[in-house]
Amino acid sequence: MRDARNLYPQLCVLLIVWLWSSCGFSQTTLVSVESVKKANSTLVIANNRSRIPLTLSLNLVRSSNIASSASWPIVRYIAPGQTLELVEISAFNKQQRYEFFYKFNYVIGSPVAQHDPTAKYRLPFISEQPVFVSQAPDGPIFSHNAVSNKNAIDLVMPISTPIVAARSGYVIENVNQFADNGLAKPEFVDKANFVRVLHDDGTWAEYIHLKQYSSHVSPGQRIEAGMVIGLSGNSGFSTEPHLHFHLQKNANGIIVSLPIEFWHSIKGKITPRYHTWLVPEKNTSTTTIPTKKLKECVRKDSIIDDTVLKCMKQT
């Protein structure tokens, strides 16, 4: 169970022509970088199309006979919705052709964002039954090995369990096209459906491994805590149907994960622990916590489905 998606650098190759170069439109979900031809030069322009600020780095891979308006690498902070001219390139020797090749990558979020210590997070699911915590920072780590996800939790649940926003915010991204055929194989790392929600303090939450096409929220949409944002699934790098949930922020240019605490109206703060159960509030007084261990109910080649969960609840 892992969220190993990365913001891979985007490579933009400019065509070699006489006295100028141009590049096709290159984009990711959040930011686009475009080269625009002028009479005797080329402008490289970035457009942050999201509600979250980001820091973009433009790196020169290879060049010939260029004059540049800025020193490379070029690093720029781009505000939400901002279009920014990064650099202008022209021929150093006006009688010869020029070419340049670049790549870019970016880090989302404000590098000075601070988590609001008074923020409250509700359980990110709706369920009639307790939900099993199969991976948490206090237990053995299978896939949460990076600073960006070391505080993440995995919640085992049947496919199509309603997933709700744990905290209010704005939708940054909604990726929902991948099938629910997840496997713990490298080729599935970047094939997880997810929704990313930006909170008012500059932190954000990610809800990962959602069911294909189950999420209908849109980037830029304001959502409130408790609003359904999709259904749980088994997309991407996954060993069984579950929800991967984590909180993140940009800490001086590095994406880090934040400790997770949920709020219960009676119990107060609840810290999810490895191999424990999260009990929905309305079921607190009537639901029996499962007593059988996972290994007693799951076959060697089985996923954790409804049958396994029912077995674990038997006393």
Side-chain angles (χ1 to χ4, degrees), residues 10-284:
Q10 307 296 307
L11 181 63
C12 185
V13 180
L14 287 91
L15 302 176
I16 304 171
V17 295
W18 184 257
L19 291 180
W20 59 271
S21 299
S22 66
C23 177
F25 188 70
S26 177
Q27 66 181 28
T28 67
T29 303
L30 300 182
V31 63
S32 64
V33 176
E34 183 180 10
S35 294
V36 179
K37 183 184 68 173
K38 298 177 66 177
N40 295 303
S41 64
T42 303
L43 287 177
V44 181
I45 299 172
N47 176 23
N48 182 357
R49 301 178 297 166
S50 72
R51 295 193 64 102
I52 191 168
L54 57 87
T55 302
L56 184 142
S57 299
L58 193 69
N59 295 277
L60 191 62
V61 176
R62 189 169 73 252
S63 66
S64 175
N65 187 39
I66 69 167
S68 176
S69 66
S71 300
W72 295 72
I74 297 166
V75 180
R76 296 287 187 271
Y77 178 85
I78 309 178
Q82 182 182 18
T83 297
L84 187 66
E85 180 181 315
L86 302 175
V87 65
E88 183 173 8
I89 301 292
S90 59
F92 180 79
N93 183 338
K94 304 302 181 182
Q95 302 306 311
Q96 296 181 12
R97 67 186 181 182
Y98 71 95
E99 64 174 335
F100 64 105
F101 301 80
Y102 65 81
K103 65 181 180 180
F104 72 91
N105 53 39
Y106 59 92
V107 178
I108 63 173
S110 168
V112 296
Q114 295 296 321
H115 182 254
D116 179 1
T118 66
K120 295 181 179 179
Y121 298 84
R122 60 154 294 156
L123 293 176
F125 58 84
I126 297 175
S127 174
E128 294 296 325
Q129 302 296 333
V131 167
F132 186 65
V133 181
S134 63
Q135 192 170 189
D138 65 319
I141 299 301
F142 167 64
S143 58
H144 303 166
N145 301 301
V147 66
S148 61
N149 65 7
K150 69 176 184 178
N151 289 305
I153 59 173
D154 286 334
L155 306 176
V156 177
M157 57 186 66
I159 290 178
S160 295
T161 300
I163 302 303
V164 301
R167 182 182 171 189
S168 301
Y170 288 94
V171 177
I172 310 171
E173 286 184 277
N174 179 5
V175 174
N176 63 11
Q177 71 269 27
F178 297 111
D180 292 283
N181 58 351
L183 292 172
K185 295 183 177 181
E187 58 266 32
F188 286 84
V189 163
D190 60 351
K191 294 179 173 58
N193 300 317
F194 68 94
V195 170
R196 181 182 286 153
V197 177
L198 175 67
H199 306 136
D200 294 337
D201 58 7
T203 65
W204 60 89
E206 291 192 345
Y207 307 77
I208 304 173
H209 305 298
L210 301 181
K211 184 177 181 180
Q212 185 180 38
Y213 303 132
S214 70
S215 180
H216 302 290
V217 295
S218 302
Q221 178 181 348
R222 177 75 182 184
I223 59 174
E224 301 302 323
M227 176 179 172
V228 175
I229 59 175
L231 303 176
S232 67
N234 192 38
S235 58
F237 191 101
S238 175
T239 56
E240 68 266 334
H242 73 287
L243 173 71
H244 173 111
F245 177 79
H246 63 216
L247 305 174
Q248 294 179 318
K249 74 169 187 174
N250 181 333
N252 296 316
I254 300 174
I255 302 301
V256 300
S257 65
L258 301 172
I260 297 170
E261 289 184 324
F262 296 115
W263 179 258
H264 191 286
S265 61
I266 299 175
K267 298 180 179 180
K269 290 183 179 180
I270 299 175
T271 300
R273 304 293 186 187
Y274 172 70
H275 273 205
T276 60
W277 297 78
L278 294 178
V279 182
E281 286 196 39
K282 65 179 181 180
N283 293 330
T284 301

Side-chain angles (χ1 to χ4, degrees), residues 272-299:
R273 304 293 186 187
Y274 172 70
H275 273 205
T276 60
W277 297 78
L278 294 178
V279 182
E281 286 196 39
K282 65 179 181 180
N283 293 330
T284 301
S285 60
T286 60
T287 302
T288 301
I289 300 297
T291 58
K292 285 194 176 182
K293 295 182 179 180
L294 182 64
K295 63 183 180 180
E296 297 180 66
C297 295
V298 66
R299 300 187 307 273

